[in-house]
Every structure is written in structure tokens, then in C-alpha cells.
Amino acid sequence: MERLLSADEVAEFLGIPVATLYQWRHKGCGPDAYRVGRHLRYDPATVRAWLQEHLAVERGVG
């Protein structure tokens, strides 16, 4: 099992500011996150799947 990623790590992976990640979460359009205590954590597989889906839609494939 892979460890869960922090918002900082996901933002770095996606090449976006952390604030954008939080805005996406608020709008319901970013990758799903889990609240662990006071912290948001992301499953790496979920982030990769969200990215693939997002890229496919941008390319007109999905």
C-alpha cells in the first residue's frame, strides 16, 4: 500500500499552487481527498486516475 500524500505533495506533483488545489476541492472538481485528523490526504492512485481522466477530457478522448 502506498502512503497517502499531503496537499503540498499533490500540488508539487501536479505543478500547481496549493491554493489552486484547495479551490478545486471547494468547487468539487479536483482529485478526491480524505480528511485524516485536521489534514487532507490524497491516495496517489486516485490522483493519477483523476489526472488521466482530466487529460483525456482536455484531449477530447473522454
Side-chain angles (χ1 to χ4, degrees):
M1 175 183 248
E2 293 181 275
R3 72 176 185 84
L4 298 175
L5 302 174
S6 69
D8 290 332
E9 292 170 318
V10 173
E12 183 178 334
F13 172 73
L14 296 175
I16 61 169
V18 175
T20 299
L21 192 59
Y22 285 122
Q23 287 174 359
W24 287 351
R25 179 170 166 78
H26 179 73
K27 293 178 182 178
C29 62
D32 290 336
Y34 306 95
R35 189 158 291 284
V36 179
R38 299 179 344 178
H39 306 282
L40 286 179
R41 294 292 182 250
Y42 295 81
D43 180 341
T46 301
V47 174
R48 287 190 297 269
W50 175 86
L51 180 59
Q52 290 302 316
E53 180 181 320
H54 184 72
L55 292 174
V57 168
E58 281 192 1
R59 294 179 186 145
V61 176

